[in-house]
């Protein structure tokens, strides 16, 4: 059906009216330095997923976008969120920003990326390694900055997107923008639902005396989530803008009840209640200098919603561990309530001799309440940081960006981390870039204090560790980008050394607290505890080729990765090599798109995408299989004269019906259920005109004049 639509549209199309030559290199990026640069002249290596790529790909989630359009990412999606990995390091080392502000989620290592509405994304900028002094402890692996769409017209804009797909997949997006004089408002609503699916009914037979081949455990459980967000902006004066925004988020994961009392009976569903609020302003001192202030609060709360009578364990108010505490159907138990308050003051100033200085200060307060998982029921900590970063040109072809960040933590003291990046222009076609930077990351509250029991196909106890040390990193990269005609090629090699890296390690069951050993005895299959590795190294290379000419774009990306990590085994008095969970040596993606303006009111696009990964390695529960999947998408844009416009999308994912049927309890290469189809309709009402320059609506993220 999709192919037939594509063929009919192609035969009706006439002369092309747009050219894509050089579009990518003319894009403006901000993440690496906090100031605007053309992509081709950005001194810090930046990967961009453009609005054109996002629209053509038709993704349903941020995991879909990053996994399908960049070879550097890998995901292992679960009920509690996405275990993301970038160039060998996981969630807790990757800083995710929305318009320059940190997204808040589970600091225990799994972020719920469904907080991000894919229909509200203008572009995505990716900076790898701790390459900028502007970002702190969460950015050892890199930064993902999601730039949202800005509505800069006086009047009213309303849009509705409804997308449906296989397995009850439903994605709903509604946006309402209103700009009146100096006041602007944007309201955004999103809803996501899936019925879930089961790739196999087989349980990991190594864990049982008798094979189980008719389990009711799902690969992906049925779930529903929605989010409502509001942003208000007021242009106090042409040089001063004030803003306030907030959001609420709800999610429920429905888990099936099986028939095996020990292995696949789920007696509770999972639910989340998130909220956020922020305010701040932007004062433009002159054409180039600006000062911004942001104050934001975020909450991420996670609950068990019981569907049957359940005996559970947890700490009482006296800090004692209590077992067999009853909860009944309809009751809800708080697992963790994580709250964060941040204050960020930043200024960008032009200095003599063409220097561009960015300087700022941050304060962060983290608070964690977990009545059943922390002996004291709640913990908190705070960090402070000041930073300065200067951009300057030694001589015309060479640009240097150098910065210092001073971090303070009450338990781990002061740490100064320098960062240096350089770009050398060799003519118009060749750019050479190099980066060296240090990173510093303290243990999270969950890594230090949080204990919990996981009862899946086996009983596993997870333990925090109050004796963890802070982590330090050294990151090096060297890259080259060459453009000839319509072809752009880039290659970047990197090395990231993390001392005292924190990870979950399997330890003898004898190291479990005595109360757990007394209660569960031999039923306790494994004990895993957060520990510092002696050292950890990730190194590899990213290669990309991109061709753009008139209506056609095509590209290929490849990422090679290897890791080394060592841990001292006190029982055997020796250092052992361990795996960094989720590592795959080879990942790749490929795409080809054609976009054609068929008439003044109709535009057609079609795209073919492929992605592949080799085996992914884990410490326990097996390795994930290598895989490759292919996807075809089509888009139809109708823009008749008037205030309404329409876009129809349709596509097939996983064309060749690959499905990983590894038994439950073991790691999967991918959770895809096989071939799926989707279709979506966007209706956009635009009754507005461009804003006057004096009152142009700006994001709170830095929008300085282009260099």
């Amino acid at each position: 059906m999709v192919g037939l639509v594509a063929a009919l549209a192609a035969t009706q199309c006439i002369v092309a009216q747009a050219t894509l030559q050089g579009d990518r290199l003319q894009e403006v990026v901000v993440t690496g330095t906090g100031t605007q640069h053309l992509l081709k002249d950005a001194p810090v290596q930046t990967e961009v997923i453009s609005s054109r790529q996002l629209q053509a790909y038709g993704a349903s989630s941020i995991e879909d976008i990053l996994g399908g359009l960049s070879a550097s990412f890998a995901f292992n999606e679960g009920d509690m969120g996405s275990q993301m990995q970038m160039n060998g390091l996981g969630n807790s080392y990757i800083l995710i920003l929305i318009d320059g502000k940190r997204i808040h989620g589970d600091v225990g290592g799994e972020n719920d990326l469904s907080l991000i509405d894919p229909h509200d994304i203008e572009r995505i900028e990716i900076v790898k390694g701790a390459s900028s002094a502007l970002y702190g402890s969460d950015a050892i692996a890199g930064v993902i900055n999601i730039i949202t769409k800005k509505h800069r017209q006086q009047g009213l804009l309303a849009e509705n997107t409804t997308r449906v797909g296989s397995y009850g997949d439903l994605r709903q997006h509604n946006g309402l923008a209103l700009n009146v004089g100096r006041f602007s408002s944007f309201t955004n609503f999103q809803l996501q639902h899936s019925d879930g699916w089961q790739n196999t009914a087989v349980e990991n037979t190594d864990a049982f005396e008798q094979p189980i081949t008719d389990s009711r455990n799902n690969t992906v459980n049925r779930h529903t989530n929605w989010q409502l967000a509001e942003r208000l902006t007021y242009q106090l004066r042409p040089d001063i803008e004030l803003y306030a925004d907030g959001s609420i988020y709800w999610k429920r994961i429905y888990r099936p009840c099986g028939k095996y009392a020990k292995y696949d009976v789920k007696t509770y569903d999972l639910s989340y209640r998130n909220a956020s609020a922020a305010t701040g302003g932007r004062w433009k001192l002159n054409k180039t200098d600006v000062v911004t202030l942001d104050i934001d609060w975020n909450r991420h709360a996670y609950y068990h919603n019981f569907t049957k009578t359940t005996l559970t364990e947890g700490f009482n108010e006296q800090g004692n561990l209590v077992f067999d505490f009853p909860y009944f159907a309809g009751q809800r138990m708080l697992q963790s309530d994580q709250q964060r308050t941040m204050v960020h003051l930043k200024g960008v100033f032009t200095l003599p001799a063409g220097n561009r200085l960015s300087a700022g200060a941050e304060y962060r307060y983290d608070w964690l309440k977990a009545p059943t998982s922390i002996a004291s029921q709640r913990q908190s900590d705070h960090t402070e940081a000041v930073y300065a970063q200067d951009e300057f040109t030694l001589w015309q072809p060479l640009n240097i960006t150098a910065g210092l960040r001073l971090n303070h933590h009450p338990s781990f003291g002061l740490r100064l981390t320098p960062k240096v990046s350089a770009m050398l222009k060799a003519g118009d076609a060749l750019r050479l870039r190099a980066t060296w930077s240090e990173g510093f990351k303290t243990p999270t509250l969950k890594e230090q204090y949080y204990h919990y029991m996981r009862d899946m196909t086996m009983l596993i106890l997870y333990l925090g560790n109050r004796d963890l040390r802070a982590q330090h990193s050294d990151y090096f990269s060297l890259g080259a980008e060459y453009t000839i005609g319509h072809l752009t090629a880039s290659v970047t090699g990197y090395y990231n050394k993390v001392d005292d890296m924190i990870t979950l390690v399997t330890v003898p069951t004898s190291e479990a607290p005595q109360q757990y050993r007394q209660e569960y005895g031999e039923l306790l299959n494994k004990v895993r505890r957060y520990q510092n590795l002696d050292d950890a190294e990730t190194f590899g290379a990213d290669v990309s080729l991109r061709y753009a000419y008139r209506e056609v774009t095509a590209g290929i990306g490849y990422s090679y990765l290897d890791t080394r990590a060592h841990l001292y085994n006190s029982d055997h008095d020796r250092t052992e090599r361990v795996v960094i969970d989720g590592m795959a040596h080879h990942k790749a993606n490929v795409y080809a798109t054609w976009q054609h303006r068929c008439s003044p009111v109709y535009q057609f696009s079609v795209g073919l995408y492929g992605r592949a990964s080799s085996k992914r390695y884990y410490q326990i529960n097996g390795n994930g299989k290598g895989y490759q999947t292919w996807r075809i998408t089509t888009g139809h844009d109708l823009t008749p004269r008037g205030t309404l416009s329409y876009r129809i999308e349709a596509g097939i994912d996983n064309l060749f019906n690959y499905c990983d049927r590894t038994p439950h309890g073991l790691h999967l290469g991918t959770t895809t259920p096989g071939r799926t189809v989707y279709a979506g309709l966007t209706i956009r009402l635009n009754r507005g005109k461009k804003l006057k320059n004096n009152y142009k609506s700006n994001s709170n993220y830095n929008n300085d004049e282009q260099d």
Side-chain angles (χ1 to χ4, degrees):
M1 179 65 180
V2 174
L4 178 60
V5 172
L8 290 174
T11 59
Q12 295 172 356
C13 292
I14 51 178
V15 180
Q17 300 181 14
T19 178
L20 302 176
Q21 181 178 358
D23 280 358
R24 175 177 176 272
L25 298 180
Q26 299 304 315
E27 289 180 294
V28 176
V29 296
V30 296
T31 305
T33 62
T35 56
Q36 290 192 348
H37 293 272
L38 292 177
L39 177 59
K40 65 178 181 179
D41 294 328
V44 177
Q45 182 76 42
T46 305
E47 180 181 349
V48 173
I49 299 175
S50 68
S51 59
R52 174 183 169 81
Q53 289 175 287
L54 292 169
Q55 186 180 65
Y57 191 62
S60 62
S61 65
I62 190 69
E63 295 97 331
D64 196 9
I65 292 169
L66 295 174
L69 296 177
S70 175
S72 301
F73 292 93
F75 291 90
N76 185 22
E77 298 181 43
D79 281 342
M80 297 183 64
S82 295
Q83 295 179 351
M84 176 171 54
Q85 191 182 83
M86 180 168 71
N87 288 356
L89 296 176
N91 287 51
S92 60
Y93 300 95
I94 303 170
L95 176 59
I96 303 175
L97 308 173
I98 297 180
D99 292 328
K101 292 169 58 178
R102 297 165 184 258
I103 186 175
H104 182 58
D106 184 358
V107 297
E110 291 188 352
N111 290 325
D112 187 359
L113 298 181
S114 58
L115 285 162
I116 303 168
D117 185 353
H119 294 98
D120 198 36
I121 301 174
E122 177 67 26
R123 71 181 188 278
I124 300 173
E125 298 178 8
I126 302 162
V127 174
K128 296 170 183 174
S131 301
S132 175
L134 277 61
Y135 311 114
S137 61
D138 300 331
I140 284 180
V143 178
I144 303 168
N145 191 12
I146 297 166
I147 312 296
T148 60
K149 295 175 182 177
K150 305 298 182 296
H151 305 282
R152 306 182 186 280
Q153 292 187 327
Q154 286 279 11
L156 176 69
L157 182 146
E159 57 186 11
N160 173 86
T161 298
T162 302
R163 169 184 165 132
V164 295
S166 304
Y167 299 96
D169 185 62
L170 171 64
R171 311 283 165 151
Q172 179 68 39
H173 160 80
N174 298 93
L176 179 66
L178 178 65
N179 290 317
V180 180
R182 303 183 183 191
F183 173 81
S184 66
S185 166
F186 181 66
T187 306
N188 183 70
F189 172 80
Q190 65 154 329
L191 175 117
Q192 302 177 12
H193 173 81
S194 172
D195 288 341
W197 57 84
Q198 185 186 61
N199 287 358
T200 180
V202 178
E203 294 287 346
N204 174 21
T205 54
D206 292 341
F208 312 116
E209 297 177 0
Q210 298 294 328
I212 294 178
T213 59
D214 57 349
S215 168
R216 296 184 186 176
N217 275 328
N218 285 333
T219 305
V220 172
N221 285 318
R222 182 166 69 95
H223 58 273
T224 303
N225 62 272
W226 59 264
Q227 182 182 48
L228 180 65
E230 172 66 32
R231 178 178 176 83
L232 301 172
T233 304
Y234 181 70
Q235 199 79 34
L236 182 65
R237 301 187 331 200
D239 58 340
I240 297 179
E241 179 188 84
L242 306 176
Y243 80 92
D245 61 37
S247 69
I248 54 174
Y249 173 88
W250 176 92
K251 184 173 184 177
R252 180 82 177 242
I253 300 167
Y254 303 90
R255 309 198 308 165
C257 292
K259 59 184 179 180
Y260 298 103
K262 185 178 178 181
Y263 304 121
D264 70 345
V265 170
K266 307 296 190 301
T267 61
Y268 55 87
D269 294 335
L270 311 177
S271 67
Y272 298 84
R273 301 290 187 273
N274 290 9
S276 69
T279 187
R282 184 176 187 272
W283 180 19
K284 194 159 189 178
L285 304 176
N286 52 48
K287 186 177 180 180
T288 57
D289 299 351
V290 64
V291 174
T292 60
L293 173 66
D294 298 296
I295 304 170
D296 63 87
W297 167 85
N298 293 269
R299 182 195 187 202
H300 177 85
Y302 159 53
Y303 299 87
H304 286 174
N305 293 68
F306 291 94
T307 55
K308 288 187 176 182
T309 301
T310 304
L311 298 178
T312 186
E313 69 281 333
F315 293 97
N316 60 22
E317 293 183 357
Q318 290 73 41
N320 299 318
L321 190 61
V322 178
F323 295 92
D324 298 331
F325 190 84
Y327 277 84
F328 303 98
Q331 288 187 307
R332 185 176 71 173
M333 180 174 67
L334 175 67
Q335 293 297 297
S336 68
D337 182 358
Q338 302 170 74
Q339 299 185 36
R340 184 197 67 198
T341 301
M342 287 195 67
V343 181
H344 184 196
L345 177 66
K346 175 190 172 185
V348 179
F349 310 98
T350 300
L351 304 180
N355 288 31
R356 195 80 174 277
L357 176 68
S358 299
E362 286 182 359
Y363 172 78
R364 172 173 173 169
Y365 177 79
D366 286 286
W367 181 84
L368 171 63
K369 179 181 179 181
T372 64
S373 300
I374 295 179
S376 59
Q377 298 203 358
R378 56 180 58 87
Q379 289 289 337
S380 64
D381 71 3
H382 60 89
T383 59
E384 301 83 33
V386 293
Y387 62 85
Q389 182 167 279
D390 189 22
E391 304 171 53
F392 57 95
T393 301
L394 287 179
W395 64 87
Q396 191 56 41
L398 181 62
N399 180 279
I400 304 291
T401 299
L404 290 171
R405 185 179 182 93
L406 180 64
N407 303 276
H408 172 260
H409 188 281
S411 300
F412 299 97
L414 290 168
R415 177 75 179 195
L416 186 67
T417 54
K419 331 271 184 176
V420 179
S421 294
M423 183 190 66
L424 177 65
K425 300 179 184 178
D428 293 332
L430 182 63
R431 302 287 191 272
L432 302 175
R433 294 181 177 88
T435 293
W436 168 72
S437 62
E438 289 188 3
F440 174 70
K441 179 173 171 56
T442 57
T444 67
L445 292 174
K446 276 199 168 183
E447 289 170 341
Q448 295 177 89
Y449 300 102
Y450 200 80
H451 296 357
Y452 68 99
M453 186 76 72
R454 185 182 181 190
D455 187 1
M456 298 295 285
T457 56
M458 60 179 64
L459 204 60
I460 304 178
L461 174 64
Y462 292 84
L463 300 174
N465 185 348
R466 299 185 186 183
D467 297 324
L468 292 172
R469 302 181 297 275
Q471 304 159 92
H472 310 15
S473 71
D474 279 280
Y475 176 79
F476 303 87
S477 71
L478 180 63
E481 182 178 77
Y482 185 73
T483 301
I484 179 171
H486 306 285
L487 179 67
T488 300
S490 68
V491 58
T492 301
Y494 63 89
Y495 171 79
N496 207 348
K497 184 176 187 295
V498 184
D499 291 325
D500 294 321
M501 179 179 178
I502 295 172
T503 189
L504 279 168
V505 174
T506 301
V507 298
T509 55
S510 59
E511 296 189 23
Q514 183 178 1
Q515 291 166 294
Y516 283 102
R517 287 185 278 117
Q518 289 177 343
E519 178 69 20
Y520 295 109
E522 295 182 356
L523 295 176
L524 186 60
N525 300 95
K526 276 187 173 64
V527 177
R528 306 205 78 199
R529 182 174 60 205
Y530 284 105
Q531 287 190 197
N532 293 101
L533 301 180
D534 291 341
D535 61 70
E537 301 169 305
T538 69
F539 54 93
D542 296 327
V543 181
S544 70
L545 294 171
R546 188 177 191 276
Y547 177 83
Y549 180 68
R550 295 187 181 276
E551 302 162 311
V552 175
T553 61
I556 185 170
Y558 169 74
S559 180
Y560 171 76
L561 169 68
D562 202 356
T563 65
R564 299 193 188 106
H566 296 91
L567 175 69
Y568 178 70
N569 186 326
S570 57
D571 290 341
H572 298 89
D573 192 25
R574 68 188 183 199
T575 298
E576 298 177 343
R577 182 167 179 172
V578 295
V579 172
I580 295 181
D581 281 344
M583 186 270 292
H585 287 304
H586 309 282
K587 297 187 294 292
N589 72 301
V590 62
Y591 64 91
T593 66
W594 177 56
Q595 179 175 297
H596 190 69
R597 171 68 65 179
C598 304
S599 75
V601 299
Y602 175 60
Q603 180 172 279
F604 168 77
S605 63
V606 62
L608 178 66
Y609 302 84
R611 57 178 172 176
S613 173
S614 62
K615 180 192 298 185
R616 299 185 67 190
Y617 295 90
Y618 295 88
Q619 294 180 37
I620 65 171
N621 297 334
N623 298 318
K625 295 179 181 177
Y627 69 92
Q628 62 169 303
T629 60
W630 291 86
R631 172 192 188 113
I632 187 170
T633 66
T634 65
H636 310 267
D637 291 282
L638 301 171
T639 54
R641 291 183 180 180
T643 59
L644 286 174
S645 61
Y646 309 88
R647 177 173 175 81
I648 300 172
E649 296 179 340
I652 303 174
D653 200 5
N654 199 345
L655 281 169
F656 302 107
N657 200 31
Y658 173 77
C659 184
D660 188 342
R661 303 194 185 279
T662 298
H664 295 293
L666 301 177
H667 286 291
L668 302 175
T670 174
T671 59
T672 174
R675 186 182 299 114
T676 58
V677 299
Y678 74 89
L681 171 65
T682 297
I683 303 174
R684 186 180 178 96
L685 171 67
N686 190 350
R687 290 185 175 178
K689 57 183 179 180
K690 290 185 178 179
L691 292 170
K692 295 180 180 179
N693 291 334
N694 285 345
Y695 301 112
K696 183 185 296 182
S697 177
N698 292 306
S699 162
N700 65 299
Y701 193 57
N702 189 55
N703 275 330
D704 305 321
E705 297 295 327
Q706 183 175 314
D707 287 356

